[in-house]
Amino acid sequence: MTAAEGWLHIAVPVLLTLLLARAVWAFIAVEMCARWLLTSATRTPTPPDPEAVPWLVVLLPMLREQTIAAEAVAAFTALDYPPGRAAVVVITTERETSARTGLRGRLGTLTASAPLEAGRLRGLFPAARCREVAETVNAARPADRLRVLTDLFDAEPTTADIVADLAADPPGGHLPLVHLHQPDVGGRKAGQLNFALDRLGQVLGPLGWNEDEHADDTYAVVYDADAVPDGRTLESFAAETADHRARADRAPALIQQQRLPLLARRPVPAGPVGLLLAGEWVYQLRRSLGIELARVRLHRFLTFSRLPEAVRMWLRPMVYAVGCGMAVHLPAVRALGGFPEPMEDLGTGHRLSLLGADLTATSVAVLDEPYTEPSGVTNLHALAFTASARPDHHAAAIAHLPSLLSRPAKAVLVAREWADEAAWLIGAPLAAAAVVSAWWAGPAWTVAAAAGMLLHGPVTTARLLALAPALHRAVTPPPMLGPLPRTSPAHPFAMIAASPLQPFVRLAGPWRLIFTKVAGRHRGFGKTER
């Protein structure tokens, strides 16, 4: 058999079968998880028993979040929960001030070129302010441009300044607000979270909390600063904790609230780039429902099932925790040695999965912003690939901890994650080559190629666009925020038609990272801007 015959008669049928199977599974998983969220949203929650609810500390790490800090504080401190059992902690970092000091010397270079582009101000000003600042500088006389930009730069408060003012005069919500400021010790979001974990006594102590006595009833709940929570969020965590304890006689190690990238604070740009960025939020929504939530629910089902362990071993998924609505049991995060770098959420989900810990989901969702710039998408995918590509490192990090999984079960999880990462890197090009070759493989494979491509792309995308308004309405934010803008495509038919290209967009970050490392250049990860 020649190489061409092997490709057409073996490789192409295998690849098209996998493409069709994956497309069918993704569509079913999206549909089932969306219906679960929408059905649950119509139920009236049972008020939690104030004497039995867990202690919750809501952690909001912030870096250059001046434009939304006040809104985030107002939203999270307004969440309903029995008084005296929860607090909101905003963690700012001196890294922001240090970076500003270093960047101040660039202002003269920026004003030397005309016109000043908004993109060149990223890192000097909050993302939402860059265009306004650029327009103000460009409107000034050439001789005054440096002075105008310097004045605007010096007048821009840091996130710590804004949060300190809010802490001194709290917005009057249900929950107390605590401001912690981390020294400039490097690191990312995980470092800010661990800084707060080391000071829980300072945060919850005034409410009567003591770690020796209350650790088993305490959860650290992690969010991004741009998230908007449902008003029932904390009560839903308490209800899920109580339900899980009743069934398993132990607290879940992680409760995942589902993140829906449907909050349109900023518009996507026009043109082909905007079309692909709009497609990215649909792709993120599909991943949120069909992978992240589906895996947590499958994990929970297997936890309580009576299937033989040999069967569960092959079905058990590697759970991808998401650091926007992630509630972690305090003893679990202490056992892990804190939240891991570089991504506190993926690392936590991987390590708890490898320990066989109890993981569950709450049906009350949270809204967050999609990405509106290509650099943010590229940085996100590269960082996610870095955090996921070495599951063996996660396995080694928890090897000293007692696990409910056997060594073969851990090996299967690690191998499955490596297969997922390989599919991420080469799956789209291989599937595209198989689709192109299907005509020569035979009529049946031509039909399979068309069905797989349509179901994986246009059909699922169209269904997600139809589900998005209902999913957005299902999130009821605290009343002071008012109506929330929803992501919606300017050209839905064009987005549906372009959906087969979206898997290739997700390749840019990982492959750019790989080529950079091969070339011997170190590429650090800054803030993942939205």
Side-chain angles (χ1 to χ4, degrees):
M1 180 181 293
T2 66
E5 290 173 335
W7 167 254
L8 289 176
H9 300 302
I10 298 176
V12 169
V14 169
L15 290 170
L16 292 179
T17 300
L18 291 174
L19 173 65
L20 185 57
R22 183 178 177 86
V24 171
W25 163 250
F27 186 84
I28 292 173
V30 164
E31 189 70 25
M32 290 180 63
C33 289
R35 287 181 179 275
W36 181 70
L37 287 177
L38 294 173
T39 301
S40 302
T42 62
R43 299 173 185 159
T44 302
T46 303
D49 180 358
E51 301 298 324
V53 296
W55 296 82
L56 301 178
V57 55
V58 177
L59 303 178
L60 294 174
M62 293 191 183
L63 175 67
R64 296 203 309 272
E65 302 288 9
Q66 295 97 314
T67 55
I68 59 173
E71 181 178 308
V73 166
F76 282 96
T77 56
L79 294 177
D80 291 328
Y81 206 65
R85 300 287 285 193
V88 175
V89 183
V90 176
I91 312 107
T92 55
T93 174
E94 190 65 16
R95 295 201 318 271
E96 183 175 322
T97 303
S98 300
R100 283 174 58 84
T101 302
L103 291 170
R104 196 176 190 278
R106 291 177 47 194
L107 301 183
T109 304
L110 291 173
T111 55
S113 58
L116 174 61
E117 297 179 359
R120 301 190 66 191
L121 296 174
R122 299 302 289 268
L124 286 85
F125 294 89
R129 287 260 296 138
C130 290
R131 184 174 299 279
E132 175 190 347
V133 171
E135 291 173 351
T136 301
V137 172
N138 290 329
R141 296 186 307 166
D144 295 334
R145 294 176 72 211
L146 177 58
R147 177 187 59 78
V148 170
L149 181 58
T150 302
D151 289 346
L152 290 171
F153 183 84
D154 291 340
E156 188 73 35
T158 65
T159 310
D161 294 333
I162 293 173
V163 176
D165 290 342
L166 292 169
D169 185 18
H174 300 145
L175 306 180
L177 171 66
V178 178
H179 175 212
L180 298 177
H181 188 66
Q182 180 197 33
D184 185 359
V185 292
R188 293 179 53 84
K189 180 180 175 182
Q192 291 175 260
L193 296 174
N194 292 330
F195 181 79
L197 286 182
D198 291 340
R199 289 154 182 80
L200 282 189
Q202 175 183 338
V203 173
L204 294 176
L207 303 179
W209 180 88
N210 178 278
E211 183 156 355
D212 293 336
E213 182 180 353
H214 300 118
D216 191 54
D217 276 332
T218 304
Y219 282 84
V221 190
V222 180
Y223 284 95
D224 291 330
D226 61 350
V228 173
D230 190 296
R232 305 162 295 170
T233 287
L234 301 188
E235 293 179 339
S236 73
F237 283 127
E240 188 58 36
T241 302
D243 179 69
H244 196 93
R245 281 189 184 275
R247 295 191 64 184
D249 198 27
R250 58 183 179 270
L254 181 142
I255 308 172
Q256 183 66 62
Q257 183 179 32
Q258 212 47 44
R259 170 190 62 95
L260 303 177
L262 298 175
L263 181 59
R265 283 194 177 106
R266 292 190 293 270
V268 297
V273 172
L275 183 66
L276 292 176
L277 285 171
E280 177 64 19
W281 72 254
V282 177
Y283 207 88
Q284 286 287 335
L285 181 59
R286 176 166 72 173
R287 178 179 177 83
S288 179
L289 297 171
I291 296 179
E292 293 161 4
L293 179 54
R295 289 192 180 193
V296 176
R297 294 188 68 204
L298 175 58
H299 189 285
R300 187 176 187 274
F301 166 78
L302 294 174
T303 297
F304 295 110
S305 76
R306 296 183 179 181
L307 292 172
E309 174 55 26
V311 175
R312 288 188 290 166
M313 178 178 75
W314 293 103
L315 295 178
R316 186 180 289 113
M318 181 76 88
V319 168
Y320 299 141
V322 181
C324 185
M326 176 179 72
V328 188
H329 196 214
L330 183 59
V333 74
R334 294 289 196 216
L336 295 179
F339 292 101
E341 295 276 9
M343 290 190 79
E344 81 296 337
D345 47 7
L346 284 177
T348 298
H350 281 36
R351 295 180 186 193
L352 292 177
S353 295
L354 288 163
L355 289 173
D358 286 4
L359 314 176
T360 188
T362 175
S363 59
V364 173
V366 58
L367 298 178
D368 79 340
E369 295 185 62
Y371 292 86
T372 57
E373 293 189 356
S375 59
V377 173
T378 302
N379 191 55
L380 168 70
H381 293 160
L383 185 56
F385 181 80
T386 299
S388 301
R390 294 303 303 270
D392 55 320
H393 285 182
H394 293 302
I398 53 91
H400 64 289
L401 297 175
S403 174
L404 297 177
L405 299 188
S406 64
R407 183 173 297 181
K410 289 182 182 179
V412 169
L413 277 180
V414 169
R416 181 178 291 121
E417 186 60 23
W418 272 329
D420 282 349
E421 300 310 302
W424 186 354
L425 286 179
I426 62 175
L430 281 177
V435 168
V436 171
S437 305
W439 177 264
W440 292 276
W445 296 116
T446 303
V447 173
M453 186 180 67
L454 289 173
L455 186 57
H456 195 273
V459 173
T460 301
T461 297
R463 182 56 182 154
L464 285 165
L465 291 178
L467 288 169
L471 290 168
H472 183 272
R473 288 193 302 270
V475 178
T476 306
M480 80 289 297
L481 295 185
L484 299 174
R486 175 177 59 83
T487 51
S488 57
H491 306 287
F493 292 108
M495 180 189 293
I496 292 170
S499 59
L501 300 176
Q502 211 60 38
F504 293 92
V505 174
R506 299 176 62 81
L507 294 178
W511 277 112
R512 179 186 175 192
L513 175 68
I514 291 170
F515 289 141
T516 300
K517 288 192 173 184
V518 169
R521 298 193 303 272
H522 173 71
R523 181 177 184 270
F525 294 106
K527 174 180 166 62
T528 302
E529 303 275 11
R530 281 180 167 82

